[in-house]
Amino acid sequence: MSQTPSDAIISVDHVFKSVTDSTGTLDILLDIDFRLAPRQTAAIVGASGSGKSTLLSIIAGLDTPTRGSVRLAGQDLFAMSEDDRAALRAQKVGFVFQSFQLLGNLTALENVMLPLELAGRKDARKAAAEMLARVGLSERLGHYPKVLSGGEQQRVALARAFVVQPAVLLADEPTGSLDFATGEKVMELMFDLNRELGTTLVLVTHDRAIAARCEHRITIDAGKIIES
């Protein structure tokens, strides 16, 4: 990953993360350093507890490093206020989680409309319906999450993430709660949308087959990058 900071959409510069409690200090991330250019795909892999999800949260500006910096779309995240970071996320970042994170009191269409409405888009309903059709759910617009299968819920989550056409999509174990066949279909869809919309994709996964499909693999062990 030889991109210079000027052409990187994500720049992680010598990031450390430690937490301290009554038992002492635990080092979670140790000198994490890499860059990704626009449109690239990267998998963060490693054993449970290696620091993968913490790194993803720091890239999103949801967690703060103890030392180091992260630039997202040219903006130094931790030189910004929390409100400004939140505004940047709303403009530039989409999220997909293992647990889907859909709002149970909203229909599939309403879940996908939500980020557009928050952004003040007047065409929220039309754009959300089109994206749900793109992920094969045009017959499920009025359904609530509780009546959708796991695969359908994750496709709603993908539609919600991609509908704002984010510069960066961050996915944390996106197939972790799906069976193999459904997970394969979801990943195909994610990579298809990534190519179509030119989004930079960063995903945390335990699945080496999924990681192998990404252009870059960032392997973390005990908080350190051991391969990239």
Side-chain angles (χ1 to χ4, degrees), residues 15 33 48 50 110 112 133 139 148-149 164 169 190-191 200 215:
V15 161
D33 194 89
S48 294
S50 58
E110 290 165 343
V112 179
E139 304 301 316
L148 299 175
S149 69
V164 295
L169 181 76
M190 183 177 290
F191 282 111
T200 301
E215 295 169 274

Side-chain angles (χ1 to χ4, degrees), residues 62-80:
L62 294 168
D63 195 358
T64 56
T66 306
R67 288 161 48 197
S69 65
V70 175
R71 299 185 76 86
L72 181 65
Q75 301 293 311
D76 185 342
L77 287 181
F78 303 107
M80 304 169 77

Side-chain angles (χ1 to χ4, degrees), residues 2-105:
S2 58
Q3 289 76 31
T4 62
S6 62
D7 64 6
I9 185 73
I10 296 170
S11 180
V12 178
D13 296 303
H14 302 290
V15 161
F16 292 74
K17 177 67 176 182
S18 302
V19 293
T20 302
D21 62 17
S22 59
T23 63
T25 298
L26 174 65
D27 295 320
I28 300 172
L29 296 174
L30 296 164
D31 201 18
I32 303 296
D33 194 89
F34 66 88
R35 282 141 199 78
L36 291 173
R39 307 181 73 92
Q40 289 189 317
T41 58
I44 301 173
V45 299
S48 294
S50 58
K52 304 185 302 299
S53 293
T54 298
L55 175 57
L56 201 70
S57 292
I58 288 174
I59 292 171
L62 294 168
D63 195 358
T64 56
T66 306
R67 288 161 48 197
S69 65
V70 175
R71 299 185 76 86
L72 181 65
Q75 301 293 311
D76 185 342
L77 287 181
F78 303 107
M80 304 169 77
S81 68
E82 281 193 40
D83 286 347
D84 287 343
R85 282 201 298 273
L88 182 65
R89 278 195 296 273
Q91 295 168 5
K92 300 289 187 182
V93 182
F95 295 94
V96 179
F97 303 94
Q98 178 178 342
S99 57
F100 316 136
Q101 299 285 344
L102 301 178
L103 296 176
N105 62 328

Side-chain angles (χ1 to χ4, degrees), residues 14 24 52 55 68 92 124 134-135 142 150 174 190 202 214 216 218-219:
H14 302 290
K52 304 185 302 299
L55 175 57
K92 300 289 187 182
R134 174 63 187 83
V135 302
M190 183 177 290
V202 183
C214 294
H216 300 291
I218 303 163
T219 304

Side-chain angles (χ1 to χ4, degrees), residues 102-115 117 125 128 132 137 140-148 153 156-157 160:
L102 301 178
L103 296 176
N105 62 328
L106 300 182
T107 65
L109 181 63
E110 290 165 343
N111 266 283
V112 179
M113 287 173 60
L114 186 59
E117 291 177 325
R125 180 172 293 273
L132 282 164
L137 292 176
R140 296 284 191 270
L141 302 187
H143 289 63
Y144 291 91
K146 67 181 179 182
V147 299
L148 299 175
Q153 290 186 61
V156 173
R160 181 183 59 189

